[in-house]
Amino acid sequence: EGIPLAGDTMVYGEFDLNFFAQLLALADPQRGDTLLDVGSGVGRLVLAAALLHADTLRNCHGVEISPPLHDAAITARVALDSLSPSPPVAPVEFTCGSVLDGAGLEAVEAADVLFSYAVTWASGETHSRLVRALAERLPDGARVISIDLALDAQAAGAAESGARFELLHQLTGPNEETGGEATGLVYRLVRDRRRGKGGGSASGGRP
């Protein structure tokens, strides 16, 4: 499924917008929250979130590793800006890069709601690296929407982070872009307050 990119090493597919809206509502965005789409492609979901929650989300951020897809997202953002009359829309930002380092990893640290739908994450070690990064860097209480892939910090080798992913909702819906159905898993990251990000013990208090 999806569109092959760069030979057989990457696959790209867009997610169903209506199903995304349902899952995002289950993640319960709060006023002032930042949304991050990991592997944001041409920016459809980022822009949809910005339109659906224009008065709630402080920022809608997409991180995409493919330059052509990132460029297409920028073009879509410019097209939205050019509409007249202009619809209410939350601030939108796109970054070209990986969420595992640099500006992409900084975006993870700032996210209150994170969406992950990328079939390339399904390869074992690649997905484990993503889960470790989320467990170590996401703020306590952040909600994560993962499509078809369960999140387990301990299994991913992030037990020292003191984080766990608490399943809040599970919903199956259509995924017309790839055919068939997909399962959305909505989690809350719960961090052991005795530990800091990255697994270090928090300072102060009793040992």
Side-chain angles (χ1 to χ4, degrees):
E1 293 101 359
I3 302 170
L5 298 173
D8 294 327
T9 60
M10 296 177 63
V11 179
Y12 169 69
E14 287 287 355
F15 194 70
D16 184 85
L17 286 174
N18 289 329
F19 189 27
F20 169 71
Q22 295 178 56
L23 291 169
L24 184 55
L26 290 176
D28 192 22
Q30 300 296 300
R31 184 173 296 276
D33 277 356
T34 289
L35 174 134
L36 174 63
D37 183 4
V38 173
S40 53
V42 298
R44 288 170 72 245
L45 300 187
V46 175
L47 296 177
L51 289 165
L52 288 169
H53 297 273
D55 297 328
T56 303
L57 293 171
R58 180 174 61 87
N59 189 37
C60 295
H61 194 164
V63 176
E64 171 57 52
I65 201 168
S66 166
L69 297 180
H70 169 74
D71 291 345
I74 297 296
T75 299
R77 180 65 176 104
V78 171
L80 179 60
D81 286 339
S82 69
L83 292 179
S84 181
S86 178
V89 59
V92 169
E93 179 180 0
F94 291 109
T95 296
C96 187
S98 169
V99 294
L100 300 178
D101 54 43
L105 190 55
E106 292 176 3
V108 170
E109 294 176 335
D112 301 292
V113 179
L114 183 144
F115 181 84
S116 175
Y117 170 63
V119 290
T120 51
W121 294 123
S123 63
E125 178 54 29
T126 303
H127 186 241
S128 292
R129 290 177 64 200
L130 173 65
V131 175
R132 284 197 297 271
L134 301 187
E136 293 170 356
R137 301 301 184 100
L138 276 173
D140 186 26
R143 282 83 71 210
V144 180
I145 304 168
S146 178
I147 304 304
D148 292 329
L149 298 175
L151 304 183
D152 186 329
Q154 185 169 359
E160 289 300 313
S161 68
R164 61 184 174 86
F165 295 97
E166 176 189 11
L167 183 63
L168 302 176
H169 303 282
Q170 180 171 323
L171 184 66
T172 299
N175 194 351
E176 296 178 359
E177 279 75 13
T178 58
E181 294 182 328
T183 298
L185 304 164
V186 183
Y187 294 90
R188 176 188 292 116
L189 183 132
V190 180
R191 191 174 300 284
D192 184 344
R193 296 186 182 278
R194 294 171 298 177
R195 297 174 181 267
K197 289 184 182 178
S201 297
S203 61
R206 295 181 180 178

